[in-house]
Amino acid sequence: TVVSTQSTESSGINAEYGDFNQSTINMKIYLALCLVATAFAAEDALRGILRSPKDTLQLYGEYKAQENLQFRASEDRMRFRLFRANAELVAASNEEEEGSAVFDLNFFSAMTEDEKQQYLCLNVTGHDANPMYLASPGFKAPEKVIWTNSGQV
């Protein structure tokens, strides 16, 4: 009888530890799944779209509609390649963990480098030259001023 009591007690302990081990395994699996889900959630949404040619083409169509762009078929293929390359750049920039900047597609996303340059240079069209201001009549500016001596600095 004593042996059977010990056997029953050890079975109870094993059952208890078995449940504990199974719970530990379940918890580890749950944590691993959470980590994987977090990694996928952290992935840039644009990257997911770019993995599917159909979704990328749909995004390009939405971009053209938003920007009111219309191209002939031959030019549209070239613009799509530019758009996709810029979308890849945006997705890669968003995946970098340095800094907190968030990048997005914009007006420049389907432009050639020459077209972009037209927007990146200084444009003074329509800007009047600044008027020349002369010293007030009767005022003579000193040739030399030491500001520290006059208490100004």
Side-chain angles (χ1 to χ4, degrees):
T1 12
V2 174
V3 173
S4 67
T5 305
Q6 287 176 348
S7 174
T8 306
E9 287 177 13
S10 66
S11 295
I13 292 172
N14 285 339
E16 187 177 318
Y17 283 123
D19 289 343
F20 175 77
N21 288 337
Q22 187 61 41
S23 295
T24 303
I25 290 170
N26 288 344
M27 181 65 76
K28 287 180 180 179
I29 291 171
Y30 176 75
L31 288 174
L33 289 174
C34 286
L35 289 173
V36 168
T38 302
F40 280 118
E43 177 187 59
D44 186 55
L46 183 57
R47 177 65 65 198
I49 292 172
L50 292 171
R51 286 196 176 121
S52 165
K54 180 180 175 184
D55 291 344
T56 305
L57 195 56
Q58 180 180 349
L59 180 64
Y60 176 62
E62 292 168 4
Y63 168 80
K64 287 192 309 182
Q66 178 182 342
E67 296 295 331
N68 297 317
L69 300 173
Q70 295 177 355
F71 305 112
R72 288 173 290 144
S74 60
E75 184 179 1
D76 196 49
R77 285 189 294 275
M78 184 258 314
R79 298 290 179 171
F80 175 70
R81 286 192 300 273
L82 292 169
F83 174 82
R84 188 177 56 214
N86 282 310
E88 290 283 349
L89 176 65
V90 167
S93 298
N94 284 334
E95 289 170 349
E96 291 179 7
E97 294 188 27
E98 297 176 21
S100 61
V102 177
F103 301 92
D104 202 356
L105 298 169
N106 60 28
F107 178 70
F108 296 100
S109 296
M111 285 187 183
T112 65
E113 290 302 315
D114 289 338
E115 290 169 333
K116 290 177 189 177
Q117 285 301 316
Q118 294 174 8
Y119 289 92
L120 300 178
C121 296
L122 177 64
N123 182 358
V124 292
T125 305
H127 178 68
D128 295 331
N130 293 333
M132 293 294 293
Y133 291 101
L134 302 174
S136 299
F139 176 79
K140 184 172 182 196
E143 290 185 27
K144 180 178 178 182
V145 175
I146 301 175
W147 295 105
T148 56
N149 291 346
S150 65
Q152 301 295 320
V153 178

